[in-house]
Amino acid sequence: MGNLLVALQLALAVVLLSCAGLLVRSFIALTGVKTGYTSGGVLAAELYPRPGQKATPDNGTYWFQVIRNVEGLPSVAAAAVSDFLPGSGYDWKPPVALAEAPPGNDILAFTGNISPGFLRVMGVKLVAGRDLSWSDTPQTPRVAIVSHSLAAHLFPFGGAIGRAIRIGRDPDLQEVEIVGVASDARLFNTRDPSTLAVYVSMSQDTRFDSWMDLEARTAGPPESLAGPVRHVLDTAGYEYAFSFHTLDQVRAQAAIDARITAL
């Protein structure tokens, strides 16, 4: 009986160690994944609507001014806004297809609204075409940037620039011109290996949205920007910063459940 108990204990110990090893290995793989963007040196502010606001500003004009004021702060190299917090686990994947393609040819791709300069803030390079511009307005044709992997899927023989795609069921996004192709990056969800992505021009959306995230890249400690950025937002008067995070903190938080499980 004693020998049997010892054997059972050893068997259970081996199973436990094997499971622990797999969990630790998965955690190390998650924290070491190549995201394709540079999180270091970036402060992100989650913005919420300010109570009592009355007027609704023009989306492009308003955010252009906010970003320029943030970029005017000492040590800030670039700033941008988006409707998702990079690396936080954003998971909206509407169907995307060529504008002229019949139904049933769609592929799911991460989709986010971004301001001009967002990819530069995140350290994501353009491999073809141009960046979004503040001259892309509601009065001009809708434009977007696609990731390299999505461009390769939709246009295996090249020639993505200038072609039109449809995104989801939004009537305003049924014919969106591709003006740029960006390098692949796991900007939305670091756990998801998919790099199929569409970045839609926020400045062309007529619906003002104060539920945004502001990102600022700085040469100094990112945390030191919190006070000055809060002042810029207070002066603008339409939203306030609900919370501040460095993007390194966001990545660490996204892996917290894997870390706890491994421990």
Side-chain angles (χ1 to χ4, degrees):
M1 181 62 72
N3 290 338
L4 181 60
L5 290 173
V6 170
L8 180 60
Q9 183 180 17
L10 287 173
L12 291 173
V14 169
V15 172
L16 180 63
L17 286 172
S18 298
C19 291
L22 289 172
L23 289 169
V24 171
R25 181 179 178 182
S26 298
F27 170 69
I28 293 174
L30 179 62
T31 55
V33 67
K34 294 182 178 179
T35 61
Y37 69 93
T38 307
S39 59
V42 177
L43 181 73
E46 294 185 76
L47 309 184
Y48 278 25
R50 185 177 295 278
Q53 63 181 15
K54 297 180 180 179
T56 301
D58 174 78
N59 215 353
T61 303
Y62 175 77
W63 289 117
F64 171 81
Q65 192 59 54
V66 169
I67 290 170
R68 288 296 174 267
N69 290 341
V70 172
E71 289 181 333
L73 298 173
S75 82
V76 174
V81 293
S82 60
D83 67 353
F84 64 95
L85 181 61
S88 63
Y90 180 91
D91 215 19
W92 187 48
K93 290 181 178 180
V96 176
L98 298 179
E100 68 272 15
N105 291 273
D106 300 2
I107 183 173
L108 300 182
F110 287 110
T111 301
N113 289 286
I114 64 172
S115 72
F118 172 82
L119 296 177
R120 181 164 60 93
V121 173
M122 304 309 300
V124 177
K125 295 181 179 180
L126 282 174
V127 297
R130 67 168 177 89
D131 194 1
L132 302 178
S133 169
W134 292 107
S135 62
D136 298 321
T137 68
Q139 288 72 43
T140 61
R142 294 301 294 265
V143 297
I145 294 172
V146 298
S147 65
H148 181 267
S149 56
L150 182 58
H153 179 88
L154 295 175
F155 311 98
F157 302 106
I161 304 300
R163 300 292 297 276
I165 58 175
R166 63 170 184 260
I167 306 167
R169 303 292 179 258
D170 189 330
D172 294 334
L173 300 178
Q174 297 308 293
E175 191 165 350
V176 182
E177 180 186 351
I178 298 173
V179 295
V181 177
S183 58
D184 288 340
R186 296 192 191 183
L187 272 168
F188 299 89
N189 189 340
T190 54
R191 287 176 171 272
D192 194 322
S194 173
T195 53
L196 303 173
V198 182
Y199 307 99
V200 180
S201 175
M202 181 214 67
S203 63
Q204 294 185 297
D205 196 337
T206 57
R207 298 161 293 190
F208 175 71
D209 187 3
S210 56
W211 300 78
M212 302 290 282
D213 293 281
L214 185 148
E215 300 86 19
R217 177 168 293 281
T218 175
E223 297 89 342
S224 65
L225 280 180
V229 169
R230 191 185 302 277
H231 177 71
V232 169
L233 295 170
D234 288 343
T235 302
Y238 284 93
E239 62 282 300
Y240 67 94
F242 176 76
S243 61
F244 288 96
H245 313 275
T246 68
L247 288 193
D248 285 338
Q249 292 171 338
V250 173
R251 285 194 60 188
Q253 184 64 34
I256 191 67
D257 55 342
R259 181 190 299 271
I260 291 174
T261 306
L263 289 174

